[in-house]
Amino acid sequence: MRCRAICFTILALPFSLASVPAENMPSDRLGEYDVKAAFIYNFARFIEWTPWHKNGENPFFSIGVLGEEPFGNALDDTFTDKTIAGSHVRIMRAGNLQALMDCQILFISQSEQSRVDKILNALNDRQILTIADFPGFAEAGGIIELRVEENRVRFLINQKTAVDAGLKISSKLLNLAQKVITR
Amino acid sequence: MNKESMYITEDEKTSMDTIKRIPVRILSPPGIKQTLCVFFYLMLLFQTPVHPLHRDLTEMSLEELMQIEVVTVSKKSERLFDASAAIFTITEDDMAQAGIQTIPDAMRLAPGVQVGHVDANKWAISARGFNMLFANKLLVMKDGRSVYTRIFSGVCWESQDVLVSDLDRIEVIRGPGATLWGANAVNGVINIITKPASETQGGYLQLGLGTVQKKALDFRYGGRLSEKIWYRVYGKYADHGPLVFADGKETEDGWQTVHGGFRMDIPWSPRNRVTVICEANRVHTGQTLAPDYFDPDLQIERIDAGRVTGGHVLGRWEHTFSDDSDCAFQWFIDTYQRDDPLLVQGGYQRLDLDFQHRFALTARHQIIWGIGSRFTRDWFDNTIVVNYDPAERRYSLYNTFIQDEIRLIPDRIHLTVGTKLEWTESTRFSLQPNLRMRWSPSSRQTLWWAASRAVRTPSRSDLDVRLVKYLFADETYKTWGLLQGTPGVPVEVLYAVESGYRLSPSDHFLADLAVFYNRYDNLRTFNLGTPFTETKDATQNIYIPFIAGSDRHGESAGFETALEFRPFTKSRMRLAYTYFRLRLFMESGVTNYRGNDAETESPQHQATLFFSVKPIRHINLGVTCRFVDRLESLSIDRYLTADISLGWRINRMIELSLSGRNLFGGPHAEFIGETVAPFEKALVRRGFRLTSHVTW
């Protein structure tokens, strides 16, 4: 095992050096998805989660990313050592919805934009917080839509879908939302 | 604005491979170290980029988070990797690392572009062949303004100066881009894009001293007038030394250029943005004339000088309706005057109006359409070599285009269909359609195909020129060659098919390949006519006329590859190789001035190896090796040479760099202007340059 680890290390060394981020980003700004990941963390905290697991079964709080993943490591970095409602967090990524049906938060990537209606229908009022960052998501029945306006992240909430899904969103979050859809 | 070239995938998404391999990543619970370990290594191998988290964002409140400015992943950069065209980007960084100060030298980094110094202040630059002093099949745009002139049918490169520090990127699109860009985007389009004023804030001063580029001073200051009005003012002076003759003596083609201007960017509301650019320039060029071009009785001084003045004002208003719908209105006025009493005296003014609108018709159809018009007025004074009949002309151009990008399978298979319809007085309507398809099997691979038709509108010279060239004399006669334009000569037409493949298996490697086949019809010829005599001032003159026609066709084929390898963040290696062949076929019974020489006026093989490394912190070393094959009909030999640049960043404000160009192989010729104008052959030579700049 150790031998293999050393081999791996040698093989990976040149690449790990390369993973030092390039100086292509102005230092006073942050990557869009780093900030979006932090938003997701906050959303998770401002929602009252009813227990989703029966005794002994699946103790994790699961966040799913459906479709092509835009976060890089941002989600993993954000949720390392964090707990939501007392549970450790795991990040799952998949191309099809079936693998992610047990998630508590489902981030739907822009690559899935064209089939968003199908996805939302398939979720069928499960207690899943759906988040996406393409326009029209909240109107289409998604719960939280992230936007970037003037380089700052904003969000919209579809309160009706949230209620249907049995999610209780704190009033603080609702107050900060750019728009709350209630019908 | 995206500073990175198209294939730099630092901002790119995790590859699908990674996703498939690691369907679930479990984070914190203990006992899964091995999984984490394996994942860690895989992650390193597949390079999911890590952005620096300067602060722990999870400790910030939502209110604080909402105040953070984010860098959006540029849609442009994604589009470039996915572009269904042969596109290559040269950034400010590339130029800085390679020690490049001028746009023509920057173009040498791009695959598929032929760059040749004619003399110190003149270049022949083209893509995919047909290179000459006024290469007429390459469209060049600078901040949305076409700098291709229909008068000389080409680009006056000496007036296209730019502060490298303000440059955002140069996009080089090989192959026809006529549907979007319009006429004369036949063999390629070059887009020179400078940064918005908001990205060039603060002061910048650069001083350069060198043996070939003797003195240069760049200055810029950027600030904001109010919260929403950003500006920069800038100026540049450069004194370039001459090239050399074959015997090693200096030519007389040294030149000085000064230009200055300002740019304002006003994002006055989230949905509206206004840009104003205003610039003026003055260039003083020297040149050495080829002696046998002129009548020896006139005793023409071989040393000649020209003066170029120009300026432009451009305004652009961009409005965003929604994420996938926006429009832009742009206008510009520009003027150009060249005073060269022996050769050409003339200039032009242009007014250009342009409107574009992009919207999503349905989720699958992204439409972009536009209308535009351009009004030109030009004037000439006769010289002993050139005159135009009529000496003044006004002409206009109207165009409209529509293009639909159809997402057959979103982000996988996209089809682009579009056409441009253009009208000019001399050529009436011409249609320039294209059909493009791209297939992205994954986010790291793109395959594309394209078929297009493009036209080159006849230049003022094609229509109205009278150019005389002295040939020889005996006791009774003087014999002249006479190049004569033909009013109503038709457009040159290109039918092109292209295909390309891009692969980026990891963020460290990118391969880009494009192959093409072009078929040209109605190519310009100057057909031998019937000689005639004319008696003038008691001298008998025989004129051998060559009259503009469109009596040949041709085909060209080739491929261009670019490989980029970035073993470490601070180092990279790029290899570009181009293979090109052109065959021309004259209609029977036609004798063209210079025959089919153009076949071998573009190199068959061309390669560039660019290598940049940071051996120590704050030190950057850039090496460029260039090989260009021989140009047979111009009797120019193949050459291999290298440029080296060493940069030292002393502190946050001051940077020093030393660069050497054309270091190996001795003086060599790159191109000859004599085929179109009487310029003596000049050789480029080794040059060194020391530059220092201060930013504050």
Side-chain angles (χ1 to χ4, degrees):
Chain A
M1 185 63 209
R2 180 179 292 171
C3 182
R4 206 178 300 166
I6 291 168
C7 281
F8 261 130
T9 311
I10 291 167
L11 278 174
L13 193 65
F15 298 97
S16 63
L17 287 173
S19 68
V20 177
E23 289 173 335
N24 66 334
M25 210 166 274
S27 54
D28 55 338
R29 286 186 176 186
L30 287 156
E32 177 184 347
Y33 282 94
D34 296 326
V35 176
K36 284 184 176 173
F39 268 86
I40 294 175
Y41 172 64
N42 273 284
F43 296 151
R45 292 197 311 156
F46 285 109
I47 285 173
E48 216 173 276
W49 297 98
T50 51
W52 57 86
H53 51 87
K54 295 167 197 121
N55 281 345
E57 182 202 298
N58 201 3
F60 296 108
F61 182 91
S62 307
I63 299 176
V65 179
L66 180 64
E68 250 173 64
E69 128 91 287
F71 287 98
N73 285 344
L75 268 185
D76 306 73
D77 292 345
T78 303
F79 285 96
T80 309
D81 301 327
K82 297 282 188 309
T83 57
I84 301 291
S87 300
H88 287 296
V89 177
R90 68 171 179 182
I91 314 286
M92 300 163 74
R93 290 159 169 92
N96 65 8
L97 187 60
Q98 283 315 310
L100 302 173
M101 286 302 250
D102 293 328
C103 286
Q104 278 64 58
I105 294 181
L106 179 67
F107 182 88
I108 301 166
S109 159
Q110 290 177 4
S111 64
E112 309 305 301
Q113 187 172 358
S114 57
R115 55 188 196 102
V116 64
D117 290 337
K118 238 190 233 170
I119 294 166
L120 292 174
N121 273 334
L123 292 175
N124 192 21
D125 294 346
R126 277 171 183 256
Q127 197 205 75
I128 297 179
L129 174 65
T130 51
I131 306 176
D133 60 352
F134 48 82
F137 179 67
E139 286 288 345
I143 298 176
I144 297 184
E145 176 182 327
L146 290 167
R147 286 185 174 181
V148 177
E149 278 178 15
E150 288 189 88
N151 294 326
R152 290 178 173 85
V153 179
R154 299 283 177 266
F155 58 93
L156 279 66
I157 295 178
N158 188 329
Q159 170 72 341
K160 183 186 174 293
T161 327
V163 171
D164 291 347
L167 290 168
K168 212 171 156 205
I169 300 179
S170 88
S171 57
K172 185 181 173 185
L173 206 57
L174 290 169
N175 283 336
L176 287 172
Q178 201 179 33
K179 189 177 166 193
V180 178
I181 299 166
T182 47
R183 37 162 198 90
Chain B
M1 189 120 327
N2 171 47
K3 279 187 207 161
E4 298 287 44
S5 47
M6 64 183 202
Y7 40 76
I8 301 168
T9 42
E10 258 119 1
D11 291 337
E12 263 222 350
K13 300 154 186 169
T14 316
S15 77
M16 289 303 284
D17 303 338
T18 327
I19 296 164
K20 277 175 213 143
R21 267 160 223 259
I22 318 143
V24 180
R25 295 182 201 168
I26 302 168
L27 289 177
S28 36
I32 42 157
K33 252 186 196 153
Q34 279 98 337
T35 324
L36 259 179
C37 215
V38 169
F39 162 59
F40 178 67
Y41 285 118
L42 276 174
M43 192 190 78
L44 290 175
L45 287 168
F46 289 98
Q47 265 309 299
T48 48
V50 186
H51 292 312
L53 283 175
H54 304 269
R55 293 159 278 188
D56 187 355
L57 292 172
T58 56
E59 282 170 13
M60 296 173 99
S61 71
L62 259 181
E63 289 90 337
E64 285 174 301
L65 281 173
M66 289 175 79
Q67 289 312 310
I68 287 187
E69 279 199 48
V70 297
V71 179
T72 45
V73 176
S74 165
K75 283 173 184 142
K76 196 107 202 162
S77 70
E78 286 172 26
R79 220 184 293 150
L80 288 180
F81 185 80
D82 292 336
S84 42
I87 184 165
F88 187 86
T89 309
I90 301 158
T91 62
E92 175 210 350
D93 282 353
D94 292 340
M95 289 178 73
Q97 286 167 6
I100 287 169
Q101 291 290 326
T102 62
I103 290 175
D105 280 337
M107 309 297 306
R108 297 175 196 267
L109 297 176
V113 180
Q114 293 97 42
V115 180
H117 246 305
V118 171
D119 69 15
N121 53 66
K122 296 176 190 68
W123 284 267
I125 301 180
S126 189
R128 296 185 176 173
F130 295 99
N131 201 13
M132 55 178 164
L133 175 54
F134 294 117
N136 57 26
K137 294 178 183 55
L138 181 72
L139 180 68
V140 181
M141 314 273 291
K142 196 173 164 191
D143 281 326
R145 180 179 65 98
S146 163
V147 295
Y148 177 100
T149 137
R150 268 182 69 196
I151 291 158
F152 309 104
S153 75
V155 177
C156 301
W157 288 100
E158 77 280 356
S159 329
Q160 312 310 329
D161 209 358
V162 66
L163 268 75
V164 175
S165 60
D166 290 351
L167 190 79
D168 186 66
R169 62 185 187 275
I170 304 174
E171 286 175 6
V172 181
I173 301 155
R174 296 157 341 246
T179 302
L180 281 181
W181 306 101
N184 308 317
V186 177
N187 279 10
V189 184
I190 288 168
N191 261 317
I192 303 162
I193 299 162
T194 62
K195 290 175 195 165
S198 55
E199 287 181 30
T200 52
Q201 294 288 294
Y204 179 91
L205 186 71
Q206 177 179 300
L207 266 166
L209 287 172
T211 59
V212 172
Q213 198 194 68
K214 290 183 169 159
K215 289 177 285 235
L217 177 71
D218 295 21
F219 168 79
R220 176 250 292 160
Y221 184 78
R224 58 205 295 192
L225 292 175
S226 75
E227 206 196 322
K228 291 200 168 148
I229 305 179
W230 306 81
Y231 73 92
R232 73 161 172 264
V233 288
Y234 54 94
K236 179 173 181 173
Y237 166 79
D239 179 7
H240 302 261
L243 303 187
V244 291
F245 290 125
D247 60 10
K249 279 201 193 115
E250 285 194 347
T251 60
E252 297 292 338
D253 53 7
W255 57 297
Q256 295 82 40
T257 159
V258 54
H259 87 274
F262 74 89
R263 172 172 175 149
M264 277 163 88
D265 286 277
I266 311 162
W268 51 274
S269 84
R271 293 183 179 279
N272 291 290
R273 179 187 190 90
V274 171
T275 305
V276 179
I277 302 172
C278 185
E279 201 175 297
N281 67 66
R282 191 183 179 89
V283 186
H284 192 271
T285 64
Q287 54 210 15
T288 312
L289 303 175
D292 53 2
Y293 211 91
F294 299 93
D295 179 1
D297 293 350
L298 290 176
Q299 297 188 325
I300 296 285
E301 274 283 342
R302 290 182 65 198
I303 299 159
D304 184 35
R307 199 179 65 215
V308 179
T309 46
H312 68 268
V313 186
L314 177 143
R316 185 166 46 229
W317 169 52
E318 289 157 288
H319 178 79
T320 312
F321 298 106
S322 71
D323 276 4
D324 43 27
S325 173
D326 48 44
C327 70
F329 173 73
Q330 179 186 284
W331 61 268
F332 71 76
I333 300 171
D334 67 352
T335 175
Y336 176 92
Q337 169 79 28
R338 186 176 183 102
D339 292 303
D340 187 344
L342 273 179
L343 301 177
V344 58
Q345 287 255 64
Y348 64 81
Q349 274 174 357
R350 297 185 301 178
L351 165 69
D352 184 285
L353 305 165
D354 204 40
F355 174 80
Q356 270 191 24
H357 179 209
R358 184 179 70 95
F359 64 97
L361 188 68
T362 66
R364 280 173 191 271
H365 291 267
Q366 181 79 231
I367 307 278
I368 176 165
W369 68 276
I371 47 171
S373 57
R374 181 174 301 158
F375 308 97
T376 311
R377 183 172 80 86
D378 69 20
W379 56 86
F380 292 94
D381 288 334
N382 293 351
T383 67
I384 56 166
V385 178
V386 184
N387 66 71
Y388 286 85
D389 180 31
E392 278 187 49
R393 214 190 234 277
R394 286 164 189 269
Y395 34 95
S396 36
L397 179 151
Y398 299 91
N399 72 65
T400 178
F401 76 92
I402 183 159
Q403 180 164 296
D404 181 9
E405 186 180 348
I406 308 161
R407 298 175 184 163
L408 291 177
I409 302 170
D411 293 321
R412 288 284 171 271
I413 300 181
H414 286 205
L415 190 71
T416 308
V417 196
T419 188
K420 181 157 218 153
L421 181 66
E422 206 155 37
W423 183 92
T424 70
E425 284 97 349
S426 66
T427 59
R428 300 288 148 183
F429 291 99
S430 43
L431 200 62
Q432 308 189 66
N434 78 15
L435 174 73
R436 291 176 186 274
M437 191 176 106
R438 83 162 159 99
W439 173 42
S440 307
S442 78
S443 62
R444 293 189 171 276
Q445 272 185 87
T446 303
L447 270 142
W448 59 269
W449 298 267
S452 339
R453 179 186 196 262
V455 303
R456 179 182 77 84
T457 44
S459 67
R460 180 76 144 89
S461 305
D462 290 335
L463 302 173
D464 302 324
V465 79
R466 261 178 72 92
L467 188 147
V468 285
K469 183 187 178 185
Y470 173 81
L471 296 177
F472 55 87
D474 57 24
E475 277 126 40
T476 45
Y477 292 105
K478 271 185 187 163
T479 309
W480 304 82
L482 172 67
L483 247 60
Q484 209 171 346
T486 308
V489 72
V491 293
E492 294 184 330
V493 182
L494 163 70
Y495 297 94
V497 286
E498 303 166 83
S499 175
Y501 178 59
R502 274 182 214 106
L503 170 71
S504 175
S506 80
D507 287 355
H508 309 288
F509 185 79
L510 177 115
D512 186 353
L513 172 74
V515 294
F516 67 93
Y517 171 80
N518 287 349
R519 164 155 187 129
Y520 299 87
D521 284 334
N522 295 348
L523 280 172
R524 184 71 56 252
T525 47
F526 281 92
N527 304 340
L528 178 63
T530 321
F532 58 94
T533 57
E534 209 179 84
T535 314
K536 205 164 63 183
D537 308 330
T539 320
Q540 291 269 32
N541 297 300
I542 300 177
Y543 288 98
I544 303 173
F546 294 90
I547 297 158
S550 54
D551 297 306
R552 61 179 167 170
H553 63 274
E555 51 185 25
S556 68
F559 67 91
E560 297 126 1
T561 67
L563 300 174
E564 173 144 335
F565 179 51
R566 303 185 152 224
F568 312 105
T569 312
K570 302 279 165 69
S571 70
R572 61 204 171 116
M573 204 164 87
R574 185 193 286 159
L575 178 69
Y577 170 75
T578 306
Y579 176 82
F580 175 78
R581 283 304 291 271
L582 170 67
R583 297 279 312 273
L584 295 168
F585 307 94
M586 207 79 71
E587 304 298 321
S588 61
V590 172
T591 308
N592 181 36
Y593 173 70
R594 298 189 51 242
N596 278 338
D597 284 0
E599 279 184 350
T600 51
E601 284 174 12
S602 293
Q604 193 172 340
H605 305 277
Q606 190 175 310
T608 308
L609 177 71
F610 171 59
F611 179 77
S612 160
V613 65
K614 282 205 159 116
I616 336 169
R617 233 176 138 198
H618 305 311
I619 299 277
N620 182 83
L621 177 71
V623 181
T624 316
C625 298
R626 296 179 276 124
F627 170 78
V628 177
D629 206 3
R630 60 202 293 253
L631 309 177
E632 205 172 279
S633 50
L634 299 176
S635 323
I636 287 178
D637 214 359
R638 56 176 67 93
Y639 67 85
L640 171 71
T641 189
D643 312 323
I644 294 180
S645 171
L646 188 68
W648 177 31
R649 191 172 172 159
I650 298 171
N651 59 34
R652 280 188 59 173
M653 285 174 66
I654 303 171
E655 214 170 301
L656 263 183
S657 85
L658 178 69
S659 62
R661 294 192 66 78
N662 300 305
L663 290 176
F664 308 118
H668 59 267
E670 291 186 346
F671 211 82
I672 293 177
E674 215 185 328
T675 54
V676 278
F679 302 122
E680 180 75 86
K681 179 174 174 179
L683 276 57
V684 301
R685 56 172 167 162
R686 188 182 300 156
F688 295 97
R689 189 169 191 276
L690 182 69
T691 317
S692 65
H693 72 245
V694 187
T695 33
W696 69 92

